[in-house]
Amino acid sequence: MCHPAYWVVFSATTALLFIPGVPVRSGDATFPKAMDNVTVRQGESATLRCTIDDRVTRVAWLNRSTILYAGNDKWSIDPRVIILVNTPTQYSIMIQNVDVYDEGPYTCSVQTDNHPKTSRVHLIVQVPPQIMNISSDITVNEGSSVTLLCLAIGRPEPTVTWRHLSVKEGQGFVSEDEYLEISDIKRDQSGEYECSALNDVAAPDVRKVKITVNYPPYISKAKNTGVSVGQKGILSCEASAVPMAEFQWFKEDTRLATGLDGVRIENKGRMSTLTFFNVSEKDYGNYTCVATNKLGNTNASITLYEISPSPAVAGPGAVIDGVNSASRALACLWLSGTLLAHFFIKF
Ligand SMILES: *[C@@H]1O[C@H](CO)[C@@H](O)[C@H](O)[C@H]1NC(C)=O
Ligand SMILES: *[C@@H]1O[C@H](CO)[C@@H](O)[C@H](O)[C@H]1NC(C)=O
Ligand SMILES: *[C@@H]1O[C@H](CO)[C@@H](O)[C@H](O)[C@H]1NC(C)=O
Ligand SMILES: *[C@@H]1O[C@H](CO)[C@@H](O)[C@H](O)[C@H]1NC(C)=O
Ligand SMILES: *[C@@H]1O[C@H](CO)[C@@H](O)[C@H](O)[C@H]1NC(C)=O
Ligand SMILES: *[C@@H]1O[C@H](CO)[C@@H](O)[C@H](O)[C@H]1NC(C)=O
């Protein structure tokens, strides 16, 4: 044990040596020889090692100008700081559960032949990237502007990027920044966006945000249908919309409903069907399919037209070379009974 006054002088002397412009050259043959800079992750332990020789009479490790250990005596009140080795050739301490505020210069200070000498090592603390705050899933109307935010911490400071996941490889990156701004958003810009925070410490932290873009219905499929009297007829109408469209069917100004006039209306996802169980003459005509959501509505006119009953629907035996069933139906619609007679002779 030394008299405390000794250490006051000792540390004052070493403090003088910290003045910038007096760098400790690495490769210096003289002791003490601290290791190269020490890099550890937050939460891990850092070992500060100092190589000495038997000419050394006094040793200490300092955090900036504060003595942590002098010989075997602990000066630091921090329980995370412990001594590891104190031999004539090595003097090492350990800092457990390292945090970012521990980053900085540490100094091994020795006394040889009454000359104080120092060697400095930088403790560098790394923190894996972590996304701290990210926008929630959002629903907007087409044409509006959207800003997503992704805040990440880490050491070194992580690089933050945004990617549109629903988009083909290669055109994925939409922002190289914490903010993703989309003005006048279009329906094809809906979907999942991925924020990625990257530094070279650990695997990137990745989170996803979903953008839903509302748009009014548009009818993508509405086909006229021919059916003969007494048969089952189906009219169908397909609409894309967000939120999903609701459908109504009209004949002239009359709204149709399941159960009335032998029809059934079925809505399944983007598709609505109007089924006639037993088509009669009065069913032929134009129908209107109306697709509605909260952003608007649209409609399409679909015709249920008459086709004559024909052997064409009698089965596979009725196939005529080079004429498909659709054109056959048309032929039946327009051609006279002589053609039908021809068929009957054939079979
Ligand atoms: C080192 O010094 C810094 C600044 O005073 C302090 O915040 C930190 O806790 C110290 N670390 C150790 C291991 O003494
Ligand atoms: C140690 O770290 C300090 C501070 O980051 C830096 O200035 C110095 O060049 C580093 N030394 C070595 C040997 O890497
Ligand atoms: C996230 O960021 C937003 C916008 O800056 C802020 O209003 C909110 O309080 C933050 N949330 C958290 C948990 O930090
Ligand atoms: C279809 O309607 C007609 C006339 O209304 C009727 O004679 C026939 O039996 C019905 N067919 C079926 C399968 O219900
Ligand atoms: C039905 O619709 C078609 C095309 O939209 C139109 O040419 C035809 O005149 C309409 N028929 C009736 C009876 O309204
Ligand atoms: C269909 O759309 C037209 C024009 O958009 C509109 O004038 C008409 O009233 C609509 N019909 C129905 C039944 O909604």
Side-chain angles (χ1 to χ4, degrees):
M1 287 292 281
C2 321
H3 191 276
Y6 171 86
W7 284 106
V8 172
V9 173
F10 181 83
S11 53
T13 321
T14 52
L16 279 175
L17 290 168
F18 298 155
I19 292 164
V22 192
V24 179
R25 272 175 294 145
S26 64
D28 194 331
T30 60
F31 294 116
K33 173 89 175 66
M35 57 209 297
D36 289 338
N37 288 347
V38 178
T39 300
V40 294
R41 286 207 205 161
Q42 187 180 38
E44 292 180 347
S45 297
T47 300
L48 305 181
R49 204 173 282 122
C50 189
T51 305
I52 52 178
D53 67 9
D54 50 14
R55 290 173 299 156
V56 169
T57 51
R58 303 284 172 207
V59 286
W61 267 108
L62 291 81
N63 173 4
R64 296 176 178 83
S65 54
T66 307
I67 296 172
L68 298 176
Y69 262 95
N72 285 325
D73 298 330
K74 186 170 178 180
W75 286 45
S76 168
I77 55 163
D78 191 332
R80 300 175 303 138
V81 181
I82 58 174
I83 186 150
L84 280 187
V85 182
N86 184 6
T87 66
T89 54
Q90 201 197 110
Y91 183 58
S92 305
I93 61 167
M94 177 186 265
I95 305 168
Q96 295 169 324
N97 191 18
V98 165
D99 211 332
V100 290
Y101 51 75
D102 294 320
E103 184 164 295
Y106 288 76
T107 306
C108 175
S109 183
V110 303
Q111 181 88 352
T112 48
D113 311 325
N114 289 326
H115 295 301
K117 287 181 183 164
T118 63
S119 175
R120 182 183 294 190
V121 57
H122 275 271
L123 177 61
I124 295 162
V125 182
Q126 295 187 324
V127 180
Q130 193 189 349
I131 294 172
M132 298 306 286
N133 189 351
I134 186 164
S135 303
S136 314
D137 291 353
I138 186 171
T139 299
V140 295
N141 293 343
E142 196 169 41
S144 47
S145 297
V146 176
T147 301
L148 298 183
L149 167 72
C150 179
L151 296 180
I153 57 158
R155 267 169 179 255
E157 181 111 5
T159 309
V160 176
T161 54
W162 280 100
R163 210 152 63 88
H164 188 190
L165 292 183
S166 318
V167 160
K168 297 181 266 340
E169 207 74 29
Q171 51 178 109
F173 284 101
V174 287
S175 175
E176 309 271 318
D177 168 345
E178 297 167 333
Y179 291 92
L180 169 64
E181 289 176 44
I182 307 173
S183 54
D184 189 17
I185 193 165
K186 296 288 182 276
R187 60 194 71 176
D188 63 6
Q189 289 173 300
S190 66
E192 282 190 320
Y193 287 78
E194 181 187 83
C195 172
S196 169
L198 178 73
N199 68 14
D200 52 15
V201 177
D205 192 14
V206 170
R207 302 259 299 268
K208 288 174 189 168
V209 177
K210 192 175 171 190
I211 302 183
T212 304
V213 180
N214 288 337
Y215 59 92
Y218 106 95
I219 293 177
S220 47
K221 217 182 264 175
K223 228 172 71 198
N224 299 335
T225 304
V227 62
S228 50
V229 169
Q231 298 293 306
K232 184 175 177 182
I234 299 175
L235 297 182
S236 62
C237 176
E238 193 178 297
S240 77
V242 176
M244 202 95 84
E246 285 171 18
F247 293 93
Q248 293 177 328
W249 288 88
F250 291 87
K251 187 175 191 192
E252 270 102 53
D253 289 334
T254 313
R255 181 166 170 198
L256 304 177
T258 295
L260 297 176
D261 305 318
V263 298
R264 184 175 65 203
I265 294 170
E266 273 179 304
N267 299 323
K268 208 169 178 192
R270 301 157 56 126
M271 181 89 99
S272 179
T273 55
L274 173 63
T275 305
F276 302 85
F277 292 105
N278 181 2
V279 172
S280 65
E281 289 289 349
K282 68 167 173 52
D283 292 328
Y284 294 119
N286 287 345
Y287 291 81
T288 306
C289 162
V290 181
T292 308
N293 75 3
K294 61 181 180 183
L295 293 190
N297 67 76
T298 184
N299 64 58
S301 181
I302 309 176
T303 308
L304 183 71
Y305 60 88
E306 180 167 13
I307 56 172
S308 307
S310 82
V313 293
V319 169
I320 305 164
D321 286 345
V323 184
N324 66 28
S325 60
S327 50
R328 193 162 62 233
L330 271 177
C332 292
L333 188 60
W334 299 112
L335 294 184
S336 70
T338 46
L339 184 55
L340 289 172
H342 170 75
F343 274 105
F344 288 125
I345 291 158
K346 251 186 111 176
F347 297 99

